[in-house]
Amino acid sequence: MSGAVAIIGVGCTPFGRYQDTTVRREAVRAIHRALDDASVSWPDIQYAVGGSMSGGSADTLVADLGLTGVPFLNVLNGCATGSSSLSSAVHAISSGAAELALVVGFDSHPRGAFAIRPEQMGLGQWYGTTGLAMTSQFFALKIQRYLHEHQVPRRLLATVAAKAFRNGSRNPNAWRRKALSEDDINNSLLLSDPLRQYMLCSPGDGACALVLCKAEHAKRYRPDPVYVAATAVRTRRPGSFEVLSPSLSIDRGDSPSVDAARAAFELAGIGPGDVDLAQLQDTDAGAEIIHMAETGLCAHGEQTELIDSGATDIGGALPINTDGGCLANGEPIGASGLRQIHENVLQLRGAAGERQVPGSPSVAFSHVYGAPGLSGCTILTR
């Protein structure tokens, strides 16, 4: 797969909670931005794929875009919906089924926690009535155990969150654009020990779109295409402790993030040490810490030195979540993974403005993680 597909257009509308527009309208806007960025039009698209959890079926956007008869697939893979949609489009182009493809993700979620039906996730109703379906409880349990086992200090949770809001303040599409200090974060409401209010992302609204083409034709459309070196999606194995797990296994197994990252690096023919910047799933501040190691970007326990040294800041050796991540942008499930790709494309183009990573980055990594235990990783190069 390495280098067979290029991204030639990106479009993203501001994330938040929409008052004067609808998420479907914003999805159409994001698509037109991506088409314009690629210098193509909707009738040129030969394959489309998209996803949304609560905003409606992505294929119905053709009512606004134009009835061209294009094959359009709907995807829903939890928080990995965007990555999974991208993977589908990449495989379609790699197989020769299409020259130009569009990927779109959008969603709209109300205030409060995500509402789920346990029985639709293969669980009994007891899982919800006992309170275990509240994902913040899972994230708190997982990071508590992780901090203890790898001797990582709790104070890093506030450091990671402060970085997210600092980066988000430089991102015109971010929902939370006010930088917060570690004191602000540590003084916010304790929700699920050790996670406080500003250490958890908020469900919200957003839309993002990409245009892809065969790599060998990319420069017909723009002089600076970004190439998809690899994309991989993996589900959980026995013994892994994931969102909506009904129990904690005695035997330990790797997270799907470990498998997805390993597969992506193998496909790309590079290693974690080649990565210049990364976007990691940070549904909570602890998730970023865990995913740094699970994706192979560092060893377990090395996060303390990396974060304290400033390595994960925009000007550091391994910038992470340069657009503010889920903490600053919120998480509209269908759009969240594509937001990461949008950010990495801008960074590799050198077009990220105030948050541009210095030194002309050439390899960008993205990682998403969704319930009930599914991860997707994508590696982009220029």
Side-chain angles (χ1 to χ4, degrees):
M1 180 194 300
S2 181
V5 176
I7 298 174
I8 55 171
V10 294
C12 189
T13 63
F15 281 29
R17 184 157 286 120
Y18 298 149
Q19 303 295 326
D20 301 321
T21 186
T22 67
V23 72
R24 286 180 57 86
R25 191 174 301 146
E26 294 306 299
V28 172
R29 284 183 61 206
I31 289 170
H32 282 302
R33 287 184 180 183
L35 293 170
D36 290 345
D37 193 43
S39 299
V40 300
S41 61
W42 172 243
D44 297 322
I45 299 299
Q46 299 167 352
Y47 180 89
V49 59
S52 179
M53 179 179 178
S54 305
S57 297
D59 73 290
T60 63
L61 296 175
V62 300
D64 299 295
L65 295 166
L67 305 179
T68 63
V70 64
F72 205 133
L73 274 64
N74 294 304
V75 172
L76 178 58
N77 253 357
C79 301
T81 292
S83 182
S84 301
S85 299
L86 173 63
S87 181
S88 176
V90 166
H91 290 308
I93 293 176
S94 299
S95 71
E99 159 70 24
L100 284 169
L102 177 110
V103 183
V104 62
F106 61 99
D107 244 314
S108 179
H109 306 299
R111 292 173 60 88
F114 289 111
I116 65 167
R117 293 184 178 180
E119 59 271 23
Q120 292 180 345
M121 298 290 184
L123 298 163
Q125 288 188 350
W126 65 267
Y127 196 85
T129 56
T130 54
L132 294 175
M134 187 70 71
T135 53
S136 60
Q137 300 277 38
F138 163 79
F139 296 134
L141 287 170
K142 191 165 187 177
I143 190 58
Q144 273 193 5
R145 183 171 71 162
Y146 190 90
L147 296 177
H148 171 74
E149 289 186 342
H150 300 288
Q151 298 182 331
V152 175
R154 287 173 58 138
R155 61 178 174 78
L156 292 188
L157 296 171
T159 306
V160 166
K163 173 180 62 70
F165 293 114
R166 186 166 60 250
N167 292 351
S169 71
R170 305 179 184 183
N171 177 9
N173 284 330
W175 183 6
R176 313 297 190 190
R177 299 203 59 205
K178 179 182 178 182
L180 298 177
S181 69
E182 292 184 28
D183 284 343
D184 292 331
I185 293 160
N186 283 324
N187 289 329
S188 64
L189 183 66
L190 182 66
L191 295 180
S192 296
D193 189 32
L195 300 175
R196 296 183 174 273
Q197 180 181 358
Y198 297 144
M199 296 175 184
L200 290 154
C201 78
S202 299
D205 306 340
C208 193
L210 313 172
V211 176
L212 285 65
C213 77
K214 291 182 179 179
E216 62 263 33
H217 300 156
K219 292 196 175 180
R220 294 179 184 177
Y221 302 99
R222 62 177 309 120
D224 57 350
V226 168
Y227 299 96
V228 181
T231 181
V233 177
R234 295 291 187 271
T235 53
R236 63 198 184 278
R237 293 179 181 272
S240 61
F241 181 52
E242 311 302 333
V243 181
L244 305 183
S245 290
S247 62
L248 186 61
S249 175
I250 296 174
D251 297 320
R252 302 289 285 270
D254 282 341
S255 161
S257 297
V258 174
D259 289 337
R262 183 182 295 125
F265 284 119
E266 288 177 358
L267 283 169
I270 62 175
D274 297 306
V275 172
D276 295 315
L277 73 145
Q279 317 300 327
L280 304 180
Q281 182 84 16
D282 62 332
T283 321
D284 66 283
E288 178 174 320
I289 293 172
I290 293 172
H291 293 145
M292 286 172 64
E294 287 188 342
T295 58
L297 297 177
C298 72
H300 293 292
E302 287 184 356
Q303 296 96 325
T304 305
E305 181 180 353
L306 285 170
I307 294 170
D308 283 345
S309 70
T312 60
D313 291 340
I314 286 176
L318 181 60
I320 292 177
N321 290 330
T322 51
D323 69 349
C326 289
L327 291 179
N329 287 276
E331 189 176 25
I333 281 178
S336 192
L338 297 186
R339 170 191 55 76
Q340 292 185 339
I341 303 298
H342 175 270
E343 173 67 7
N344 279 346
V345 169
L346 293 183
Q347 290 286 350
L348 295 182
R349 288 181 183 175
E354 292 183 46
R355 63 187 188 281
Q356 178 63 48
V357 170
S360 299
S362 59
V363 178
F365 177 84
S366 70
H367 157 270
V368 289
Y369 168 86
L374 180 146
S375 291
C377 294
T378 302
I379 298 171
L380 303 183
T381 61
R382 63 174 173 86

